Amino acid sequence: MANRSWLPYSISGEIVRGFGRGSNELGFPTANYPSSVVDALPDSFECGIYYGWAKVNEYPVYPMVLSLGYNPFYNNTKKTMEIHILHNFSNDLYGSHMTVVMIGFLREEKSFKSTEDLIDAIEQDIAIAKEMLQKAECLRLKESFSYDL
Ligand SMILES: Cc1cc2nc3c(=O)[nH]c(=O)nc-3n(C[C@H](O)[C@H](O)[C@H](O)COP(=O)(O)O)c2cc1C
C-alpha cells in the first residue's frame, strides 16, 4: 500500500535530461533524476506532488516542488522524478549533483483537459509550497539540511 510515512525523505543524484517539455511547453523547467535513483525508492513510496528543499552543487538551498510518477497528462510509461527549483539558475544544470529533501505531500498526479489547466495546477502547487516552507519545522529542516551537506 503506497503511503507517506517516509517523509521527510532525502535523495541525491545527478541531474539528467528529461523529455524537455517542462521548460518548452509549461514554463517550469525541471531537474530530473536518472531511473537508477527513482527505482531505488521504497516500493511503498507514494507517487504524487511534493514540496521541500533542493541543493545543487555549491549553490544555496532553495525551495522546490517535485512530481513523482507517470505524468498522466502525458501518459508516460516510465516512472520519473522531476524537480522544479524555485530559483532562476543562469546556467544549465545537467550533470550537476542535486540533493533534495521531500517534506510534504501536496496532491496526487492528475490528467488535465488542457496544458493551461496543468500550468494552473503547478502554479497553485508552488503557492502552497512557498507558504508551507515558511513554517518553523520546515525552516529547521532547511537549516539541518544545509549543515549536513
Ligand atoms: C509541481 C509539479 C506538478 C506536476 N503535476 C502534474 C500532474 O498533476 N499531472 C501530470 O501529468 N504531470 C504533472 N507534472 C509533470 C509535468 O507534466 C512534467 O514536469 C512535464 O511533463 C515536463 O517533463 P519533462 O521535463 O521530462 O519533459 C507536474 C510537475 C511539477 C513540477
Side-chain angles (χ1 to χ4, degrees):
M1 186 50 185
N3 65 75
R4 295 163 204 171
S5 61
W6 297 101
L7 299 177
Y9 195 86
S10 182
I11 300 159
S12 288
E14 190 192 336
I15 298 176
V16 298
R17 239 166 247 281
F19 297 105
R21 295 178 300 233
S23 33
N24 299 339
E25 280 177 33
L26 304 175
F28 301 103
T30 55
N32 296 18
Y33 276 130
S35 48
S36 54
V37 171
V38 182
D39 295 345
L41 282 171
D43 286 341
S44 63
F45 205 104
E46 187 167 348
C47 287
I49 316 305
Y50 293 84
Y51 64 87
W53 302 109
K55 181 164 170 62
V56 178
N57 289 350
E58 301 309 314
Y59 290 101
V61 175
Y62 292 115
M64 65 85 183
V65 281
L66 177 156
S67 164
L68 171 67
Y70 298 87
N71 296 353
F73 183 69
Y74 292 103
N75 285 316
N76 289 357
T77 50
K78 205 162 143 294
K79 194 190 217 175
T80 58
M81 183 179 257
E82 303 169 349
I83 293 93
H84 175 64
I85 302 175
L86 302 181
H87 176 75
N88 280 328
F89 291 95
S90 49
N91 50 320
D92 116 20
L93 299 179
Y94 298 120
S96 301
H97 185 80
M98 173 172 65
T99 304
V100 300
V101 59
M102 299 161 74
I103 299 177
F105 182 89
L106 286 168
R107 62 175 173 87
E108 288 175 9
E109 295 184 282
K110 288 187 272 189
S111 192
F112 294 91
K113 282 203 213 81
S114 65
T115 310
E116 287 68 36
D117 289 352
L118 172 58
I119 292 171
D120 285 350
I122 296 177
E123 274 171 358
Q124 212 180 328
D125 295 333
I126 292 171
I128 300 170
K130 281 183 176 166
E131 208 177 298
M132 300 302 283
L133 287 168
Q134 282 170 22
K135 292 183 187 251
E137 62 262 35
C138 291
L139 292 171
R140 267 199 296 277
L141 270 170
K142 178 186 185 185
E143 215 173 303
S144 55
F145 181 52
S146 315
Y147 284 134
D148 287 350
L149 296 169

